[in-house]
Amino acid sequence: MLPIYMALIDDEDVSDFEVLYRACRNKAYIIAYKILKNESLAEECVSEVFFSVAKNFKKVNNLVSYEQHKYIVISVRNRAFNILAKEEKNTLNLPYEDDIYFNDDKYSEFDKEKWSDFIRKLNKTDRDILYLVCV
């Protein structure tokens, strides 16, 4: 992702952004992960924050070093809480019903021999996994 960010920055500021990125990315990820408890969402959060920083790097670069770190920490925290709120809102709207996902009528068209043929075509590991799931 670093090359994408650097494409947004003027040539004279590239090294400053790289130093800031390398100094703060791990801390930013840890903060996001503690809030979101999901690796991919934490990576997305950090990516969004550094993309925003890259777009506005002239302003951020004028800050003192500790203020830059503080700005990134606050941005990551706020973005993580926004992502968490969106995720919670989206998951609340999903109904979960066993009948939707495990309806035996869907599979009634297959007979036992077809299922056996499909299972025989699987490799041994997949057959073992299927066996463990079913038993």
Side-chain angles (χ1 to χ4, degrees), residues 39-128:
E39 290 177 13
S40 60
L41 290 178
E43 289 174 9
E44 178 184 339
C45 176
V46 172
S47 178
E48 287 178 10
V49 167
F50 277 106
F51 185 75
S52 175
V53 169
K55 286 194 307 189
N56 301 310
F57 192 66
K58 287 278 188 201
K59 294 177 185 175
V60 175
N61 200 25
N62 290 334
L63 298 173
V64 181
S65 177
Y66 74 91
E67 289 178 335
Q68 289 175 341
H69 291 245
K70 185 170 129 179
Y71 176 79
I72 289 175
V73 166
I74 292 170
S75 297
V76 166
R77 191 191 58 151
N78 290 341
R79 188 72 49 106
F81 282 124
N82 288 342
I83 290 172
L84 186 63
K86 284 181 187 177
E87 287 294 313
E88 288 175 354
K89 180 180 175 185
N90 289 338
T91 56
L92 288 176
N93 295 334
L94 294 176
Y96 180 79
E97 298 175 18
D98 285 340
D99 295 338
I100 294 172
Y101 303 107
F102 303 107
N103 190 353
D104 292 337
D105 295 337
K106 292 180 184 178
Y107 305 111
S108 62
E109 64 203 42
F110 292 108
D111 60 0
K112 185 178 178 183
E113 289 196 27
K114 283 187 180 181
W115 278 110
S116 297
D117 288 340
F118 290 137
I119 294 170
R120 276 189 221 105
K121 290 177 183 177
L122 295 172
N123 63 31
K124 183 177 179 350
T125 305
D126 291 338
R127 280 189 305 226
D128 290 344

Side-chain angles (χ1 to χ4, degrees), residues 19-29 50 68-69 72:
V19 168
L20 179 65
Y21 177 77
R22 293 191 190 283
C24 293
R25 70 176 172 197
N26 290 334
K27 181 190 280 187
Y29 177 80
F50 277 106
Q68 289 175 341
H69 291 245
I72 289 175

